[in-house]
Amino acid sequence: MTLRRRGEKATISIQEHMAIDVCPGPIRPIKQISDYFPRFPRGLPPDAGPRAAAPPDAPARPAAASTGRRSPSDGARDDDEDVDQLFGAYGASPGSGSGPGPSPSPARPPAKPPEDEPDADGYESDDCSAVSKHNAVRWRRMCLHFAAALGTLDFSLLYDQENSALHCTISKAKGLKPMDHNGLADPYVKLHLLPGASKANKLRTKTLRNTLNPTWNETLTYYGITDEDMIRKTLRISVCDEDKFRHNEFIGETRVPLKKLKPNHTKTFSICLEKQLPVDKSEDKSLEERGRILISLKYSSQKQGLLVGIVRCAHLAAMDANGYSDPYVKTYLKPDVDKKSKHKTAVKKKTLNPEFNEEFCYEIKHGDLAKKTLEITVWDYDIGKSNDFIGGVVLGINAKGERLKHWFDCLKNKDKRIERWHTLTNELPGAVLSD
């Protein structure tokens, strides 16, 4: 910055005025320029200004021009006056005061600061007391830019309580991060339910090619979602880039606790994608979910027995190389001394969502049911080798949660058919994991 003599109009370039060192860390003004910045963004106090008018009885300062000589202090004082003029000094012209000199010009009122002027009282910095609000706005915009660098996703969720279904409608994404060499991506969306994420509960949309602003308008549905699931489960929504010749690449994700949803009410979301969040490593792998099963129970007074209905399964784990399974279901009523309680459904080929609609009858007195346990296992049928265990569930007096409630509701309500969805896990206590 160059200062000129008195009387000449001094200018300062916008580059010098806005020379702020924007770098990671605190915003630091350049000292040579910030030293000349006014320190009173809200106006100079009347009694503290360098150009404040002198009291009437104060002795007049002799003009420097009358002596013909200039002392060092006078030169410094003139430089200060020039600086005040340069940065819009608060009040009168350089000649103002009680001493001789040009008649004072009327004081200009302080200009109204624009919207981007600093609010020094509301801004904190370790290195400077007043920072341009314009730069603060730029900094916030830059932070938002990096936060939204992965893109945004629009979707909606609906919990159908009557049908125990969670409908996830994936609408569109905007401004996704480029993943391919052509500056585009081949995005798709996949869903997981946490905890217990596995291939069994993964759903995904179709892949859209060469776009950063895909529109899917695709609805993915989880069946067998209970009120208990809505309390403890979280939906993980991930956006990925499909690659034919190597592993698919992760773009961003978001997570929605299902307890935020109201039954039978659609909730719409528009969110910024985040980096991949860590999964809880303490989760018990023995309780990995392997799918859902819809079971009906009814104690028939007419038949003097327990009717067990295997209605359908949903989101079963894929056990075959083709990405499917050939599932069937077995049931046991234990303790089974005579080994005659085994029942088995038909095999459904190449599906992860089989419908069985089969019912089995166990002849037993109603009073003896309280001592029994119903074990239900799902298997994948294989030719020429052992069948693969997919998952199982236990209903009875030793069960917990929805499984225990289902069992007691059956005992309390004779001749009433009660259907409930249950989660299949990869381990079943007391079960023989071979067919």
Side-chain angles (χ1 to χ4, degrees), residues 195-308:
S198 65
K199 293 183 179 180
N201 61 34
K202 182 185 79 171
L203 300 177
R204 62 162 288 173
T205 66
K206 60 186 177 182
T207 301
L208 299 182
R209 302 290 177 185
N210 296 324
T211 178
L212 300 180
N213 301 285
T215 299
W216 289 282
N217 290 328
E218 193 171 339
T219 299
L220 307 175
T221 302
Y222 280 106
Y223 294 99
I225 301 297
T226 64
D227 291 339
E228 183 181 356
D229 292 327
M230 297 299 295
I231 295 175
R232 67 184 187 91
K233 291 285 187 179
T234 296
L235 180 65
R236 176 187 180 187
I237 305 177
S238 306
V239 181
C240 300
D241 171 62
E242 185 176 287
D243 200 315
K244 293 183 178 180
F245 304 104
R246 54 183 178 178
H247 292 294
N248 296 342
E249 296 179 291
F250 175 86
I251 298 178
E253 72 169 39
T254 186
R255 298 185 185 184
V256 181
L258 297 185
K259 61 184 178 182
K260 290 185 176 182
L261 305 181
K262 296 180 180 179
N264 307 313
H265 177 75
T266 302
K267 187 170 184 178
T268 302
F269 299 83
S270 181
I271 51 87
C272 290
L273 296 174
E274 304 176 64
K275 294 182 180 180
Q276 194 162 15
L277 301 175
V279 178
D280 187 5
K281 299 295 184 180
S282 63
E283 182 182 332
D284 187 1
K285 298 299 181 181
S286 66
L287 297 180
E288 177 186 346
E289 295 185 8
R290 310 300 293 272
R292 304 291 175 102
I293 185 169
L294 180 59
I295 302 169
S296 68
L297 297 179
K298 173 184 175 181
Y299 185 82
S300 174
S301 301
Q302 181 180 0
K303 296 183 178 181
Q304 291 292 307
L306 176 66
L307 301 180
V308 179

Side-chain angles (χ1 to χ4, degrees), residues 81 93 115 141 162 192 242 265 278 287 337 345 359 407:
E81 292 174 354
S93 63
E115 293 183 359
R141 287 176 180 173
E162 181 179 357
H192 283 102
E242 185 176 287
H265 177 75
L287 297 180
V337 180
T345 68
E359 191 173 69
W407 187 252

Side-chain angles (χ1 to χ4, degrees), residues 37-45 90 110-111 113 117-121 129-131:
F37 282 171
R39 297 300 182 182
F40 303 94
R42 297 189 182 277
L44 192 68
Y90 321 96
E117 280 296 309
D119 182 1
D121 294 339
S129 59
V131 179

Side-chain angles (χ1 to χ4, degrees), residues 1 8 15 69 124 211 216 225 278 289 314 341 346 364 385 397 400 418 421:
M1 182 179 67
E8 295 183 0
Q15 289 82 359
R69 297 179 61 186
E124 295 181 359
T211 178
W216 289 282
I225 301 297
E289 295 185 8
S341 69
I364 187 175
K385 60 179 182 178
I397 57 174
K400 296 180 181 179
I418 301 176
W421 281 95

